[in-house]
């Protein structure tokens, strides 16, 4: 039980999981554990992995994972604020995305043992009269309690009527699937709770809701998300994974140790302890190698570290950009890529450097940057590569 | 045009009707004028007639009336506040109600020339994905501008989600029908305006909205409505029509002259003038006869007046209940039926009178009253009938 609750942010109701597990034992059956996804952006990343690893724990205990592909809703398109509807995906695109997604899932869970269902199976043919029956079970005020709806409503940002229907459909999926548990990130709490409500209205035992914490993106933003360009993808190459992990700020490191690595709890605690005294770069490299080992192999992890180090081997003062960084300052100084490169290559004009960046010739910590105005954090040991041969290293001259 | 605009409360947009009529003339076509109704309570009354007479004017000019039977929505049931859903009607009941309704329509418009359509024809088979497309065109905030939704939302009264869908469906009906004009009471302004919006979104010319005033009920309440038990039904017998009309308070009389009679405008103005000096009872009788003539015949009207007068022929002081009524007081004194009858028949016990009332033996202005606690206005000339033979008359002893 302690293992099952590791890292969990919310369980609803509080002792519901124990009760469900007892019930399953008594009835000698597997629990049905639902994970839903909209096949719109099929690239899985370390944020998804937090939830998937928890799912894997249940699968290893013999329970039944049910992967719900929200292909019905994906075909409609979910507008994200400001009247700007997302282009609906074609059925073929949705199908391809679902396949990609399921392939990626197999990096963490045993897909062959999971039940994979598509909600178009019951939503496509749902008669309008039954849609209205379904809608009659939920009030507007209830939906307006969802944080994002509430914020948009009070700030006079438009909410299209069909957006309000989404949580109800997700809840209806739980009824159809007969879910014992629904899993998701903490941002799914509202929708999963609505599933409990519809199951109860339907006379079924309501599902337990298990929410995992949201891993922040490599930029430190609230949530790792493809649309925020701050993800470490499960299918990223080892070198990409290494570079991206090295690029995270030190304050994110503890979160990544806890949520992104598969060290044992004791090892994680040990690493967190070391963070207080050790150079964070050393621990960041351990985290990066652990991540690569999970999704590729140990050898890939070692090779990636070597590549990273070699790339920045040629270390002399000419190739260092000295900046003053107060070691424990909460302020992080940033500068645009074009500015940094101009500092490093004073003989080139800013226009020339701008073109160079736009042509894709500049990398920061192994990540290609094509926007000259993109802000880069001036963190010690940040690696800048300009063209094929010029490597630079940002050095904190207060150290 | 003056005729067409007589009594109209709202035209939207203001000069839209002129433009539509010109367009019809130019394109040498009839205008399509929509009137929708939910076949839940099929009894038409003088309130409906206000709208229907306007429709008749357009029909007489050669335009196409389209009667929309909302049988789809009626089968779902429309909850009226407080989580209390109305029992959905069966398909057969809806069909019967629709037939009754259309029969009653023929008292005012030429039903054989009208197009009668059922919205189940396009809503029953509307795929869920198209429902969502439809919903995506309207925002929650927009719907919350509807008075009753707004009131319930701000007062924390539940609004079920499917209720929000109703105005959208009514609007979609206008798209399907290709309505040039939608007609209704002023309480339909919001829904009809939504029709304009959906037609525009659909690339069609938006309909003109024509709202007629709401006729108040015989009890002076805001709206004549079957559920408020304050209607004069189009199928009421001549005697019922007469008695009910006589029962309205004097302050309602002008409204009934304007909206419920079919006098010419000059005659109406004349009657309104007479109201200032004449005994209102005389004018009330003219209004009652005019109404009976519209829905029955002149002879029926004369017979009803005779019946009314004869019923209260036997006039002596024993049969009069004197009450003090200040002639132009705004206060109207009321008393329960049981109290009034007890005053009139002091030899009977209150319990006996109560039983008498409950058995249906008591009439006030020719209307059977079975609730002993029903309040009756102590207006001069109010007729009370107890049992088969006892007639009484309320007399204002301040006169």
């Amino acid at each position: 039980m302690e293992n099952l609750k590791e890292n969990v942010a919310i369980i609803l109701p509080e002792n519901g999981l124990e009760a469900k597990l007892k019930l399953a034992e008594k009835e000698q059956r597997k629990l049905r554990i639902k994970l839903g996804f909209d096949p719109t952006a099929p690239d899985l990343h370390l944020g998804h992995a937090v939830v998937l690893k928890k799912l894997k724990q249940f699968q290893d205990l013999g329970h039944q994972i049910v992967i719900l592909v929200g292909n019905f809703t994906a075909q409609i398109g979910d507008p994200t604020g400001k009247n700007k509807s997302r282009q609906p995906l074609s059925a073929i695109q949705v199908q391809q995305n679902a396949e990609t997604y399921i392939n990626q899932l197999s990096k963490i869970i045993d897909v062959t043992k999971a039940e994979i269902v598509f909600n178009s199976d019951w939503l496509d043919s749902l008669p309008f009269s039954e849609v209205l029956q379904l809608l009659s079970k939920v009030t507007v005020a209830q939906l307006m309690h969802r944080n994002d709806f509430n914020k948009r409503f009070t700030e006079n940002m438009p909410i299209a009527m069909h957006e309000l229907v989404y949580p109800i459909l997700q809840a209806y999926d739980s009824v159809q699937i007969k879910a014992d548990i629904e899993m998701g990130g903490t941002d799914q709490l509202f929708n999963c709770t609505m599933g409990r409500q519809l199951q109860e209205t339907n006379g079924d035992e309501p599902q337990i809701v298990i929410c995992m914490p949201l891993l922040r993106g490599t930029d430190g933003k609230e949530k790792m998300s493809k649309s925020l360009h701050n993800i470490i993808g499960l299918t990223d190459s080892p070198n990409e994974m290494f570079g991206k992990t090295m690029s995270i700020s030190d304050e994110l490191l503890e979160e990544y140790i806890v949520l992104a690595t598969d060290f044992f709890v004791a090892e994680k605690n040990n690493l967190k302890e070391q963070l207080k005294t050790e150079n964070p770069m050393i621990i960041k490299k351990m985290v990066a190698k652990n991540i690569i080992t999970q999704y590729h192999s140990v050898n890939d992890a070692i090779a990636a570290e070597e590549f990273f180090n070699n790339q920045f081997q040629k270390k002399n003062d000419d190739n260092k950009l000295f900046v003053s960084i107060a070691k424990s300052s909460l302020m992080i100084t940033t500068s645009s890529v074009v500015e940094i490169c101009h500092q490093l290559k004073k003989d080139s004009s800013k226009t020339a450097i701008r073109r160079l960046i736009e042509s894709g010739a500049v990398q920061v910590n192994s990540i290609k940057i094509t926007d000259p105005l993109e802000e880069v954090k001036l963190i010690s040991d940040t690696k800048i590569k300009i063209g094929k041969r010029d490597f630079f290293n940002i050095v904190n001259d207060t150290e």
Side-chain angles (χ1 to χ4, degrees), chain A residues 75-98:
Chain A
Q75 281 185 61
I76 306 298
D78 188 8
T80 43
K82 289 191 180 172
N83 252 346
K84 219 170 144 191
S85 294
R86 186 147 78 182
Q87 221 32 17
L89 295 178
S90 70
I92 292 164
Q93 191 57 52
V94 163
Q95 185 61 34
Q96 282 175 351
N97 286 353

Side-chain angles (χ1 to χ4, degrees), chain A residues 42-161:
Chain A
D43 286 322
L44 291 185
H45 52 64
L46 294 188
H48 295 113
V50 176
V51 180
L52 291 169
K53 284 178 188 169
K54 184 56 62 183
L55 220 48
K56 175 75 161 75
Q57 282 186 290
F58 280 94
Q59 190 176 45
D60 288 345
L61 289 172
H63 296 294
Q64 180 63 55
I65 305 301
V66 185
I67 301 294
L68 182 282
V69 184
N71 62 336
F72 178 81
T73 41
Q75 281 185 61
I76 306 298
D78 188 8
T80 43
K82 289 191 180 172
N83 252 346
K84 219 170 144 191
S85 294
R86 186 147 78 182
Q87 221 32 17
L89 295 178
S90 70
I92 292 164
Q93 191 57 52
V94 163
Q95 185 61 34
Q96 282 175 351
N97 286 353
E99 279 168 23
T100 309
Y101 177 90
I102 290 159
N103 274 335
Q104 293 182 24
L105 280 184
S106 66
K107 284 186 168 282
I108 298 179
I109 63 169
D110 184 345
V111 178
T112 60
K113 284 187 192 160
E115 194 176 311
I116 294 167
V117 292
F118 294 77
N119 67 2
S120 65
D121 282 354
W122 48 86
L123 291 179
D124 259 350
S125 58
L126 195 66
F128 191 8
S129 56
E130 285 183 34
V131 173
L132 288 175
Q133 293 283 11
L134 194 58
L135 297 185
S136 73
K137 302 199 161 64
V138 180
T139 70
V140 182
Q142 250 190 315
L143 292 165
M144 283 304 152
H145 278 128
R146 205 175 89 167
N147 288 343
D148 56 338
F149 288 151
N150 192 280
K151 190 171 182 314
R152 284 161 64 188
F153 192 69
T154 51
E155 288 176 3
N156 291 321
M157 308 259 289
I159 306 170
M161 267 298 286

